Amino acid sequence: MNRNEEKQLETLSPFEIKNTLIELASHSQKSMVNAGRGNPNWVATEPRSAFFQLGLFALQEASTSFQQYDGFGGIGSEDNISGRFLRYCEDNEQAEGVAFLLNAYNYLTCLQDFNGDELVYEWVSGILGDNYPVPDRMLKYSEKIARKYLEQEMCHGPALPESPMDLFAVEGGTAAMVYIFNTLKSNRLLNSGDNIAIGAPIFTPYIEMPELEDYNLNKIEIMATEEAAWQIPDVELEKLNDPSIKAFFLVNPSNPGSVKLSDETLYKIADIAKKRPELIILTDDVYGTFADDFTSLAMIAPRNTILVYSYSKYFGATGWRLGVVGLSEDNILDRMIADLPEDVRAQLTARYSGISLDPANLKFIDRLVADSRAVALNHTAGLSTPQQIQMTMFSLASLLEEGKQYQKDAKQIVRNRYNALMKESKKDPIVSGFNMDGAFYYAEIDVKDIIETTYEASFFEWMENEFEPLDFIVRLASEYGIVVMPGAGFDAPNWSLRVSLANLEDEQYSLISTAINKMFDEYYQEYLATEA
């Protein structure tokens, strides 16, 4: 691939560049090693076993009614359904997933005081998918269980906020992003030409979406740096004091840096939010469960913060499309809508008048639900009920005692891969604080930094003049069959690459390091030849 072709390729999203890299790697002389997309190569088995066992019980319940036609079942009865559920568990106690279901039921009814019949009936009806989601925002017990899970995993250290969090179950974190952007725009909380801050480096869509004609927002980058252990320096945080900045979007732990914000940084942001009660914060915390002692901004600055969480990475469930949007019952967005100019409020009242007798006081999170179905289809809104039940099982997998070992093992998997990748590296990119704050789901490798640290300075000057930053990644694919993502697409340094630590076996990461080292030596030999 020549330089002009690489220049053209660099204009694409890194996720589109990846497709070209895969094609190049497939034609190399090596077996392809794809460390591009962060899809985990594991699945959480226990909550899935429980899901399928619950499905069998639900079918047994359905078969007790509507028997006049072959192949049909009814919707069952809530009356004493918990008793029938417990008998089913007793009769099938050796089957995979049954012990999990029984432990979950006991935990919820004994320790959380859930009504057993209501709980099991929600599970049965939900897994059968025999009705629209009711409530549409999230099923009653699914929301309570997911909230409990988020409080456990997203709040290490500080006390839980006084005001509980409302949840909206959505089709993964990507759907959450789309819904939030659209509702902020529809409710005039973000308008064309507004300034927003982006905590960079960051997941590419947070960079690309604001630029779309749909939103036309101006971005101000709040840069974390490797030199600062992927924390945000004070000089960057200071930008958030600018009253023209309407919102701050970040991914925590970061992508591709894969480091959580320190408590010191979190509290500095929270202090800014106190001084700027109109600042909207969106925090995407999908990787939080891989970091030690993780706390979300949603727990420290709850009134300002919208939480996005996806179950996809931790439980190996990208295909399930499971996520939630969380927002404190006491939040600034509801107040900001109430304080809009009278003519704007009248327009919004008209927008939501078909779904509420009091549309002016419709909460922001309920506007999210309505807008997710273009308002007119609000009566069919909500994540499919079988998805919500699987989400419930995943949440319970962490809430039960066995969840501690699962989390320990999940963290160990990615840390082992990180160590395998870095064992042969010319320069270990671990900086002060990384071991303590790292999530280790990705590794960001700075080509420029390694060259300037291990070779003479003129080598990188030559390389920068002769090649596009993408050339290193293109050669890795075409010569060694290795696919990685360009860091520049995440607003990381131009000459950097992102390696997913989720989707390959440990030994394959050693192959990636070896190939990267060979690439450095190849370029260096070319450089020496030009100097001779």
Side-chain angles (χ1 to χ4, degrees):
M1 185 175 286
N2 62 44
R3 189 165 188 175
N4 284 335
E5 290 173 322
E6 289 175 349
K7 272 187 176 180
Q8 280 189 309
L9 201 57
E10 284 171 338
T11 65
L12 297 178
S13 162
F15 294 95
E16 301 306 319
I17 294 173
K18 170 184 58 65
N19 296 333
T20 300
L21 298 174
I22 289 172
E23 186 175 348
L24 290 171
S26 66
H27 290 97
S28 75
Q29 301 300 309
K30 309 283 188 180
S31 297
M32 182 163 62
V33 177
N34 187 349
R37 199 164 188 181
N39 189 83
N41 64 346
W42 68 80
V43 297
T45 55
E46 258 205 308
R48 283 174 167 89
S49 294
F51 178 85
F52 291 119
Q53 283 294 338
L54 182 62
L56 292 175
F57 170 70
L59 284 172
Q60 181 175 295
E61 282 293 296
S63 68
T64 62
S65 60
F66 213 93
Q67 297 175 330
Q68 60 269 44
Y69 298 99
D70 290 341
F72 287 80
I75 60 174
S77 169
E78 183 179 327
D79 185 40
N80 197 32
I81 194 172
S82 61
R84 297 191 296 277
F85 170 77
L86 292 173
R87 283 196 298 275
Y88 176 87
C89 291
E90 183 179 344
D91 293 342
N92 298 276
E93 60 181 348
Q94 298 304 316
E96 289 288 332
V98 169
F100 179 99
L101 285 174
L102 191 56
N103 288 341
Y105 176 84
N106 289 334
Y107 164 77
L108 294 171
T109 55
C110 297
L111 297 181
Q112 303 300 320
D113 294 325
F114 287 9
N115 180 286
D117 285 338
E118 287 184 5
L119 172 68
V120 176
Y121 190 72
E122 178 178 295
W123 285 357
V124 167
S125 179
I127 205 166
L128 289 173
D130 61 14
N131 200 354
Y132 294 106
V134 180
D136 50 13
R137 183 161 56 76
M138 197 166 185
L139 301 178
K140 174 182 174 181
Y141 287 109
S142 294
E143 180 179 19
K144 289 184 176 183
I145 294 165
R147 183 190 295 122
K148 191 76 178 173
Y149 166 69
L150 292 173
E151 289 173 348
Q152 174 180 288
E153 299 299 338
M154 303 282 116
C155 192
H156 184 274
L160 288 171
E162 290 183 9
S163 182
M165 187 181 289
D166 286 329
L167 300 182
F168 173 26
V170 295
E171 302 89 340
T174 48
M177 290 172 59
V178 173
Y179 297 158
I180 291 166
F181 269 83
N182 285 343
T183 298
L184 288 172
K185 176 188 175 184
S186 296
N187 287 271
R188 318 304 198 267
L189 298 179
L190 286 181
N191 300 295
S192 178
D194 280 349
N195 293 333
I196 63 167
I198 303 287
I202 195 170
F203 182 46
T204 309
Y206 284 107
I207 302 170
E208 297 173 340
M209 285 179 65
E211 298 173 349
L212 295 174
E213 183 183 1
D214 307 48
Y215 310 109
N216 191 31
L217 300 168
N218 301 318
K219 297 178 303 181
I220 291 92
E221 290 189 333
I222 310 293
M223 291 295 300
T225 64
E226 189 171 8
E227 293 75 21
W230 293 118
Q231 299 301 315
I232 304 173
D234 288 351
V235 66
E236 292 291 307
L237 288 176
E238 193 63 34
K239 296 176 184 177
L240 294 176
N241 286 310
D242 180 351
S244 74
I245 292 177
K246 300 291 185 68
F248 177 37
F249 298 162
L250 71 156
V251 174
N252 182 32
S254 55
N255 178 2
S258 205
V259 174
K260 71 174 185 177
L261 292 177
S262 67
D263 289 346
E264 181 183 7
T265 303
L266 287 174
Y267 280 103
K268 285 177 180 177
I269 297 171
D271 285 342
I272 292 171
K274 286 178 183 176
K275 297 172 191 171
R276 293 201 54 210
E278 77 289 353
L279 178 66
I280 300 166
I281 299 173
L282 187 158
T283 182
D284 185 334
D285 295 350
V286 59
Y287 305 107
T289 43
F290 291 94
D292 294 337
D293 302 337
F294 179 75
T295 296
S296 169
L297 260 175
M299 301 299 171
I300 296 177
R303 297 191 71 246
N304 296 69
T305 305
I306 305 169
L307 170 68
V308 171
Y309 179 77
S310 168
Y311 289 73
S312 60
K313 304 299 196 294
Y314 190 49
F315 296 101
T318 53
W320 261 109
R321 316 308 297 148
L322 303 178
V324 289
V325 177
L327 184 62
S328 172
E329 288 182 359
D330 176 21
N331 66 82
I332 63 164
L333 293 103
D334 293 337
R335 179 189 58 76
M336 291 169 71
I337 291 171
D339 289 344
L340 288 168
E342 186 176 347
D343 61 328
V344 176
R345 283 188 285 116
Q347 293 171 21
L348 294 178
T349 294
R351 176 180 178 84
Y352 299 108
S353 62
I355 65 169
S356 173
L357 294 175
D358 186 17
N361 292 314
L362 193 67
K363 295 196 298 185
F364 178 84
I365 198 160
D366 292 319
R367 295 172 190 236
L368 267 179
V369 178
D371 292 333
S372 75
R373 296 298 182 268
V375 184
L377 292 167
N378 180 68
H379 63 285
T380 64
L383 184 66
S384 82
T385 58
Q387 285 174 283
Q388 293 196 50
I389 300 307
Q390 181 65 89
M391 187 189 297
T392 293
M393 295 300 131
F394 286 147
S395 297
L396 287 164
S398 285
L399 290 169
L400 298 177
E401 185 64 29
E402 295 81 358
K404 295 176 183 176
Q405 186 61 46
Y406 180 88
Q407 184 167 64
K408 181 180 178 181
D409 292 342
K411 290 177 179 179
Q412 194 60 51
I413 288 169
V414 292
R415 282 161 170 74
N416 287 345
R417 294 170 181 180
Y418 179 86
N419 291 333
L421 177 69
M422 294 305 155
K423 188 175 181 182
E424 304 300 328
S425 174
K426 286 183 179 289
K427 181 192 175 190
D428 190 337
I430 292 181
V431 289
S432 175
F434 189 87
N435 273 329
M436 179 175 61
D437 294 332
F440 298 94
Y441 199 87
Y442 302 107
E444 191 268 351
I445 297 176
D446 192 329
V447 171
K448 176 183 177 182
D449 180 55
I450 292 174
I451 289 175
E452 291 182 338
T453 303
T454 56
Y455 298 89
E456 58 265 40
S458 56
F459 174 30
F460 182 74
E461 293 174 10
W462 167 84
M463 194 167 171
E464 194 171 31
N465 287 330
E466 294 294 319
F467 302 100
E468 288 299 305
L470 197 61
D471 190 72
F472 194 95
I473 293 169
V474 167
R475 285 203 199 183
L476 265 181
S478 57
E479 295 180 22
Y480 294 95
I482 289 171
V483 177
V484 296
M485 298 280 265
F490 301 82
D491 274 5
N494 277 342
W495 287 83
S496 68
L497 52 91
R498 187 195 81 166
V499 180
S500 167
L501 300 173
N503 63 328
L504 299 172
E505 301 301 326
D506 294 11
E507 60 270 15
Q508 291 176 292
Y509 290 100
S510 298
L511 294 176
I512 293 173
S513 280
T514 300
I516 287 173
N517 290 341
K518 288 180 179 178
M519 287 287 302
F520 283 128
D521 293 339
E522 283 180 25
Y523 280 108
Y524 189 59
Q525 292 305 314
E526 290 179 40
Y527 161 73
L528 291 178
T530 63
E531 294 294 295

